[in-house]
Amino acid sequence: MTQRRDFIKKTLIGSAGIAVTGIGLSAKSYGSIIGANDRINVAVIGIRGRGVSHIDAWCNLKDSHNVRIKTLCDTDEQFFDPRSKTVFDKTGAKPLTEWDMRKVLDDKEIDAVSFATPNHWHALGTIWACQAGKHVYVEKPSSHNIWEGRKMIEASRKYNKRIQVGFQNRSIPNVIEAMKFLHEGGIGEVYMARGLCIKPRDSFGIAPDSTPPASLHYDRWLGPAPSRPYNEKRGHYNWHWFWDTGNGDTGNQGPHQFDVARWGLNKNEHPVSIFSTGGIYGINPAECAQQTPNTQISVAKYKDGKILEFETRGRHSNAESSLGIKIGNVFYGSEGYLEIDGGTWKAFRKQDKEPFAGSKIVTAEVASLTGSTDTEHYINFLDAIKSGKDETLHCDIQDGHYSSAIPFMANISYRLGGSELKFNGATEKFVNNPEADKMLTRVYRSPYVVPSKV
């Protein structure tokens, strides 16, 4: 077992430049904490679903990186007791709980906030946090629309605060290895990237409007979204499938694969055109409140002609490729192709049936050493806070914005009837299309307004 563990460590060093020196530690991370006495106080905002992973990650870094979860925040107080118990059981310290985000941000002891709120709160919460002097770890997509993403970049730069977007693939050693392989010409010139989101989801039904639960501060939960009566089908998790609060699976699971696709294509810019079509299939729309499509095909093109293709399949489906990909990517080059599923990848030369290159170890083995496949992403955020440099981040808000903007553009094309849209990346406006431009932002509900000047 010791020999196997040593082999995995050496493989990680050689292939990705990341050494695992303990549970959840990289060589760089370990070096950065030697002799450090400053504790980083974190608040987790949004603690129901993805927030549980945030809580676990920060708890696991309590000793190695001197992190303390000081406060848990959510607009629904029903989660306070179980999540507080989790923190206490893992760290021996009971966190504060608060439903009002502004009070959390007013706390001078909080160094960083970790956002796992619904998408429509990502931008405003992040901007408020930067203004309050906090660093931010924010889940994907980085914002709810393209204009908001630009405001987040401006806030980060103006207040000199690090913003890490939760594209955890950016910190997975095998994915880093695969991207390096592509960029060094492993399959020749890469001309197309394909992303897949095959996640069958059943109808969640319909329900009449009703009174919000006593535990939920509903006005605050709505935040920047338009005012509307409470409906249980539009709340927890289902918010993904309504345009006011979410972006469908193309903008939910999709951003991870859009990000890997863009990374593999080596494109640090916006595409110049986008086309997307689809709909709701396999369920009766009259018996489901969902607005966003469960089946969607999107194609973006860059100025040099390279293509980024993405497919969302929300009903029964086969997997694709030799890896049986349901959530992953395929890259096509002049000399072959590369498949990547999580942290496992294989490269094939031309028409060969057997791979000629690939990951040395599988993601599960990396996870057994680091604690999870995304622990390194949280560690990298802490390293960047200590370095004070945006370039230290594996997914700075600028990268997060580029990758989030593509599914946003795709959804705009879909909502406008599947028309091809031309985009000017310099101005972040569509070309001669005022109707599409209106969908770059939204009408904000006072007082939850993303400011034009951050």
Side-chain angles (χ1 to χ4, degrees):
M1 178 63 185
T2 301
Q3 289 179 339
R4 176 62 174 161
R5 184 174 291 263
D6 289 342
F7 167 75
I8 292 173
K9 290 178 183 179
K10 290 176 182 178
T11 301
L12 287 172
I13 294 170
S15 65
I18 296 178
V20 181
T21 57
I23 300 300
L25 289 175
S26 68
K28 183 178 75 169
S29 303
Y30 183 76
S32 72
I33 67 170
I34 296 298
N37 296 313
D38 294 335
R39 180 169 61 189
I40 295 180
N41 291 312
V42 174
V44 180
I45 301 179
I47 61 174
R48 176 188 173 272
R50 179 62 183 165
V52 174
S53 297
H54 287 225
I55 291 169
D56 286 344
W58 299 128
C59 287
N60 290 339
L61 297 173
K62 173 181 73 75
D63 296 324
S64 63
H65 285 70
N66 203 10
V67 174
R68 174 179 69 145
I69 296 180
K70 183 180 182 186
T71 307
L72 300 178
C73 178
D74 200 287
T75 56
D76 195 338
E77 297 187 40
Q78 69 169 300
F79 303 111
F80 286 172
D81 287 345
R83 302 301 185 263
S84 294
K85 183 178 185 303
T86 296
V87 175
F88 181 79
D89 289 347
K90 287 177 175 286
T91 68
K94 186 175 182 180
L96 300 175
T97 55
E98 177 57 62
W99 69 267
D100 186 347
M101 183 192 306
R102 297 309 295 260
K103 291 183 179 179
V104 176
L105 298 179
D106 285 341
D107 185 346
K108 303 295 185 186
E109 289 190 356
I110 299 293
D111 303 298
V113 293
S114 187
F115 279 103
T117 62
N119 298 355
H120 70 294
W121 259 110
H122 287 183
L124 184 57
T126 294
I127 291 167
W128 281 354
C130 289
Q131 292 172 334
K134 321 298 184 190
H135 302 284
V136 178
Y137 184 108
V138 61
E139 273 301 330
K140 54 74 204 165
S142 54
S143 58
H144 185 252
N145 61 57
I146 293 174
W147 181 80
E148 288 180 346
R150 179 55 53 186
K151 297 296 116 179
M152 294 167 79
I153 295 169
E154 292 173 6
S156 172
R157 306 313 186 235
K158 178 176 180 179
Y159 298 101
N160 192 27
K161 296 301 166 188
R162 313 288 78 74
I163 300 177
Q164 174 96 303
V165 182
F167 288 115
Q168 295 85 10
N169 285 297
R170 294 268 174 172
S171 295
I172 297 176
N174 283 348
V175 181
I176 296 171
E177 177 191 49
M179 297 300 105
K180 184 173 184 290
F181 179 83
L182 287 175
H183 296 165
E184 292 179 350
I187 58 171
E189 182 181 2
V190 180
Y191 59 86
M192 185 168 76
R194 175 168 167 76
L196 288 166
C197 170
I198 303 174
K199 274 193 169 183
R201 300 183 189 274
D202 293 328
S203 168
F204 54 83
I206 58 175
D209 295 340
S210 59
T211 302
S215 62
L216 178 64
H217 298 267
Y218 181 58
D219 180 79
R220 182 57 59 88
W221 184 90
L222 275 176
S227 179
R228 64 174 64 252
Y230 172 79
N231 189 295
E232 65 179 71
K233 296 300 183 182
R234 300 179 71 103
H236 295 313
Y237 199 77
N238 286 343
W239 56 262
H240 281 294
W241 323 126
F242 297 91
W243 297 119
D244 284 351
T245 50
N247 307 89
D249 244 345
T250 295
N252 170 38
Q253 177 60 50
H256 284 300
Q257 279 61 60
F258 276 100
D259 183 60
V260 172
R262 184 181 66 81
W263 187 10
L265 288 173
N266 212 11
K267 291 299 177 187
N268 298 310
E269 60 195 68
H270 290 299
V272 296
S273 70
I274 191 98
F275 160 80
S276 186
T277 188
I280 298 176
Y281 298 95
I283 61 177
N284 185 348
E287 297 176 354
C288 182
Q290 180 169 342
Q291 294 177 340
T292 62
N294 65 6
T295 302
Q296 190 174 359
I297 299 170
S298 306
V299 180
K301 183 176 287 188
Y302 287 89
K303 62 184 177 184
D304 63 357
K306 292 185 178 181
I307 297 169
L308 192 162
E309 180 185 68
F310 188 81
E311 187 169 356
T312 298
R313 297 185 213 159
R315 296 302 290 149
H316 315 299
S317 175
N318 61 302
E320 289 193 10
S321 82
S322 67
L323 289 175
I325 294 176
K326 289 193 172 182
I327 305 295
N329 293 81
V330 184
F331 295 89
Y332 303 91
S334 58
E335 301 301 318
Y337 62 97
L338 182 147
E339 306 169 346
I340 183 165
D341 183 1
T344 303
W345 65 276
K346 295 179 181 180
F348 297 81
R349 185 176 284 115
K350 297 185 176 180
Q351 301 299 320
D352 290 353
K353 301 299 182 184
E354 296 297 324
F356 73 96
S359 49
K360 308 297 189 301
I361 55 176
V362 300
T363 306
E365 291 171 317
V366 176
S368 72
L369 295 175
T370 64
S372 78
T373 55
D374 58 8
T375 298
E376 282 291 340
H377 209 53
Y378 294 95
I379 293 173
N380 173 250
F381 175 56
L382 299 176
D383 288 344
I385 291 175
K386 292 171 184 175
S387 75
K389 298 178 180 179
D390 293 320
E391 55 268 28
T392 308
L393 290 166
H394 287 172
C395 194
D396 171 56
I397 182 59
Q398 179 71 66
D399 268 318
H401 175 57
Y402 278 140
S403 293
S404 299
I406 311 171
F408 296 157
M409 291 181 206
N411 281 336
I412 291 172
S413 171
Y414 166 80
R415 297 179 73 182
L416 293 178
S419 56
E420 183 181 19
L421 304 175
K422 304 296 184 182
F423 194 74
N424 184 330
T427 62
E428 293 192 332
K429 299 277 190 181
F430 291 100
V431 178
N432 299 322
N433 197 325
E435 186 178 12
D437 281 344
K438 289 179 182 178
M439 303 178 80
L440 291 169
T441 184
R442 70 184 308 163
V443 175
Y444 293 93
R445 188 174 69 96
S446 181
Y448 307 105
V449 178
V450 174
S452 297
K453 186 176 182 180
V454 298

